[in-house]
Amino acid sequence: MATDPYLSVAALTKYIKKKFDADPHLRDVYVKGELSNVKIHTSGHIYFTLKDQKARMPAVMFSARAKSMKFRPESGMTVLIRGDISVYEASGQYQLYAQSMQPDGIGDYYLAFEQLKEKLNKEGIFNADHKQSLPRFPEKVAVITAQTGAAVRDIITTLKRRYPLAQIVLFPTLVQGQGAVQSIVQSIQQANRTDSDVLIVGRGGGSIEDLWAFNEEAVARAIHDSKIPVISAVGHETDTTIADFVADLRAATPTAAAELAVPSRIELLERVMGQRQIMFRHMTNDLEQRRIRLTQLQNSYPMAYPDRLYRPFIERIERAADALQRETVLTVRRSGDRLTMLSRQLDNRNPSDRIRQAERDLAILGDRLDQRIANVFNQREQQLKSAIRTLDALSPLKIMDRGYAIPFKHGEVVKSVDQLELGDQLSLSLKDGEIKTVIEAIDAKEKERE
């Protein structure tokens, strides 16, 4: 049976991949082209297309290689890439696996510098609003640099020479090589936990690689977050780093940074002496003016005849005293007259006289009351006698004296025969006694008509 001549897609792709891998010309290639469709994955892998005017090729740079790059690749950038060519079996296409990448025409350090500078500038970290002013007379100066070298010696010598009153605190720091960025950031943070008044961050000159730690983003943000004013002093006058843009003040050299951090003792002494001379001249002029003014006052009319100043006031006081005395006499006199008048009014209104008068009035009223009561008694006595006579005249006893009797039945006066019946017992009240009787006959008379 004949062997099947057909290959699977995977087998063919794998065969082609082995051909690529076995070709020594494809194992280490140098390619120049323009970046397109650059995508940086969250894992750190960089996927892009490398092209020129006539062709294009997919490419990838894994994160392990991408970490060593000093710049950020962007579309449209012309680069020089070293890598190898192989086939990506899943898509069946060949692609370039980049091992290193650098910009064409400019160094990768310069490109990384410009990219970070542009990024921080957009964030506003370089703005003057974030800059702090330096203290005029700092008491403590913190220095962040290498413990040995010309830079630290220049800074300390300059500080002691210019302003020996300031205390110098050195924070030994790695300023180049591996671990320099972390060391610089830690020193800045440590200095901010002290009571330092100003902070000098820098180092001596060197190549761009030596100074690169001061172009890292972490150092720039540490300087920006510093609560202490920072003076950047990195390299020589022609060297410029990201730290110089972020710092509150840039110094061309470490020596210049020390000069900017503290005032000059000699200049201060000269200024004090100058101010002293100016003050002396001002005081001399002022004393001379005051002396002239004093002489003028002493020779003036009031000072020459001082008694004439208070003479009018003496006359006014004497006149006021006379007027006061006259007014006092008049007041006393008017008060005496007033007192006399009030005494007379009080005598006229003496309560003893009023009491005596009231007693007289009371005696008169008592006599009148007694007379009135006697008259009332007399009137009532006459009225009583008249009533007695009238009552005596109308008394039934008078009638009974003439031989009449009053019949009573059960204690009630009998006024008509209609009240009586045969056999009723009656009581007859006479003038001098009472008798009992029984009715044996009733002789009723006819009533007369009115």
Side-chain angles (χ1 to χ4, degrees), residues 2 27 59 69 80 84 115 124 137 149 161 178 187 191 228 289 376 413 431 436 440:
R27 292 179 183 175
M69 294 175 56
L80 303 175
D84 62 274
Q115 289 178 342
F137 302 104
R161 173 178 52 83
Q178 187 176 3
S187 294
I228 303 173
Q289 294 294 329
V376 170
V413 177
K431 173 183 178 183
K436 303 290 183 180
E440 295 178 353

Side-chain angles (χ1 to χ4, degrees), residues 168-370:
I168 303 173
V169 181
L170 177 63
F171 293 89
T173 307
L174 291 176
V175 293
Q176 73 179 56
Q178 187 176 3
V181 175
Q182 183 179 2
S183 179
I184 295 171
V185 172
Q186 290 178 351
S187 294
I188 294 175
Q189 294 174 349
Q190 184 179 358
N192 272 268
R193 290 192 288 269
T194 65
D195 57 347
S196 300
D197 299 310
V198 66
L199 179 60
I200 298 176
V201 180
R203 55 154 293 159
S207 65
I208 188 171
E209 292 83 0
D210 296 336
L211 305 180
W212 191 254
F214 295 92
N215 287 321
E216 293 289 349
E217 183 175 355
V219 174
R221 295 193 180 278
I223 294 175
H224 176 264
D225 296 338
S226 175
K227 303 301 181 183
I228 303 173
V230 177
I231 301 176
S232 175
V234 181
H236 301 296
E237 185 173 0
T238 57
D239 297 322
T240 302
T241 63
I242 297 296
D244 295 331
F245 293 102
V246 183
D248 300 295
L249 188 63
R250 175 186 180 270
T253 62
T255 302
E259 293 177 350
L260 293 173
V262 295
S264 173
R265 176 184 59 179
I266 298 176
E267 294 177 359
L268 291 176
L269 290 175
E270 292 177 352
R271 186 180 303 175
V272 170
M273 294 303 297
Q275 294 294 330
R276 179 182 178 184
Q277 293 177 359
I278 293 174
M279 183 177 65
F280 181 77
R281 286 198 300 270
H282 283 308
M283 290 298 296
T284 302
N285 294 335
D286 186 64
L287 288 175
E288 184 63 25
Q289 294 294 329
R290 291 177 182 272
R291 188 179 294 107
I292 294 172
R293 178 60 177 164
L294 179 59
T295 302
Q296 293 175 349
L297 292 175
Q298 289 175 344
N299 297 331
S300 63
Y301 177 81
M303 297 301 295
Y305 305 97
D307 58 323
R308 298 185 182 183
L309 291 176
Y310 55 82
R311 186 184 298 170
F313 298 100
I314 294 176
E315 295 176 357
R316 289 176 58 184
I317 292 174
E318 291 178 352
R319 293 174 183 174
D322 294 340
L324 179 61
Q325 186 176 3
R326 290 194 299 270
E327 188 63 27
T328 302
V329 173
L330 292 176
T331 302
V332 172
R333 186 177 300 171
R334 285 194 294 267
S335 299
D337 296 341
R338 174 71 174 168
L339 179 60
T340 302
M341 181 184 65
L342 292 175
S343 299
R344 293 174 181 174
Q345 292 178 357
L346 182 61
D347 293 338
N348 294 333
R349 298 179 182 181
N350 193 331
S352 300
D353 296 339
R354 298 182 66 181
I355 292 173
R356 286 193 293 271
Q357 182 63 37
E359 289 176 350
R360 289 194 293 270
D361 294 340
L362 182 61
I364 294 172
L365 291 175
D367 295 341
R368 291 179 181 178
L369 180 60
D370 294 340

Side-chain angles (χ1 to χ4, degrees), residues 8 47 57 88 92 117 130 136 169 212 222 260 282 306 329 360 378 387 390 393 395 406 429 444:
S8 65
Y47 300 93
M57 170 191 310
Y88 181 54
K117 178 182 175 183
H130 301 298
R136 189 172 182 183
V169 181
W212 191 254
L260 293 173
H282 283 308
V329 173
R360 289 194 293 270
N378 291 333
T390 302
S395 175
I406 299 175
S429 180

